[in-house]
Amino acid sequence: MELSCKSQYAILALLEMATHYESGEPMQIRQIAAQQDIPDRYLEQLLATLRRGGIVKSQRGSKGGYLLAREPWKISVFEILECLEGLDIKPSEDDTNSKSVDSAIVDEIWQEARQAANAVLQKHSLQDLCEKRDSRRQLDIMYYI
C-alpha cells in the first residue's frame, strides 16, 4: 500500500486549511499552493473533488477561497482518502464460490490487512495530524537551541 501523490497533496492542502481554520477566513488556492509547494492547477482539481465530497466548501467573491466544511477533528484521514481514491472497505462478493482455496486464503489475508489499514486511517483526524506536526516542530526548535 502506498499513498498516491494526489492523496499526499490533498492531505497537505487540508493540513494548511486546518491550521487556519480558527480564523474563519477562506484560503485561496495560490496561498495553499505556495505554502505546501503544490502546483496550482492540480490543487484546483483536488479541491474541486474534495468540495464534491463534502470535505471543503468554497466561497466566491474578492475574499473568496476554500474552507474546511467541518471542524478538523471531525475529518478523518480515511474520509479524505475515500473521497479521492474511492477506498472500499467491504470485501468483494464476486464469484467467491469459483475461487480456489489458495486464492481465497490470499484474499482473506489481504482483506484483513486492508481492514487494519482502514482502522488506522479512521482513527486519525486532520486535527491529530496538525498536533503531531506542531509537536515535531517544537522538538526541532528545542534541538537547535
Side-chain angles (χ1 to χ4, degrees):
M1 293 184 216
E2 206 171 298
L3 189 63
S4 70
C5 186
K6 171 172 63 171
S7 293
Q8 187 165 4
Y9 279 159
I11 292 170
L12 290 173
L14 291 169
L15 273 173
E16 191 64 34
M17 294 169 73
T19 301
H20 298 284
Y21 179 77
E22 292 298 320
S23 74
E25 295 290 318
M27 293 191 73
Q28 295 183 349
I29 289 174
R30 67 176 176 267
Q31 283 178 287
I32 301 167
Q35 283 294 117
Q36 295 295 336
D37 198 25
I38 303 171
D40 290 26
R41 293 208 182 250
Y42 194 51
L43 181 57
E44 190 173 346
Q45 294 171 3
L46 291 175
L47 289 173
T49 301
L50 293 168
R51 185 181 53 76
R52 286 189 299 272
I55 295 174
V56 299
K57 59 185 178 181
S58 59
Q59 184 174 314
R60 295 182 179 266
S62 61
K63 300 243 181 194
Y66 287 87
L67 298 148
L68 293 178
R70 297 183 306 283
E71 294 89 352
W73 55 90
K74 291 185 178 177
I75 301 172
S76 71
V77 175
F78 179 83
E79 182 182 358
I80 297 163
L81 297 178
E82 186 178 39
C83 176
L84 294 165
E85 307 288 349
L87 296 179
D88 185 19
I89 48 177
K90 298 177 191 119
S92 62
E93 301 285 327
D94 325 349
D95 54 11
T96 49
N97 296 336
S98 64
K99 289 185 178 179
S100 71
V101 173
D102 294 347
S103 179
I105 290 170
V106 170
D107 285 351
E108 286 172 17
I109 297 299
W110 185 248
Q111 186 62 30
E112 187 179 337
R114 285 178 55 193
Q115 287 173 348
N118 290 345
V120 170
L121 296 172
Q122 287 171 342
K123 184 175 81 171
H124 294 284
S125 69
L126 274 177
Q127 184 69 35
D128 296 333
L129 297 180
C130 286
E131 288 170 2
K132 285 180 187 237
R133 178 203 57 208
D134 294 345
S135 68
R136 288 227 178 124
R137 284 182 179 167
Q138 279 298 102
L139 286 175
D140 286 346
I141 290 170
M142 295 302 290
Y143 181 73
Y144 291 114
I145 290 178

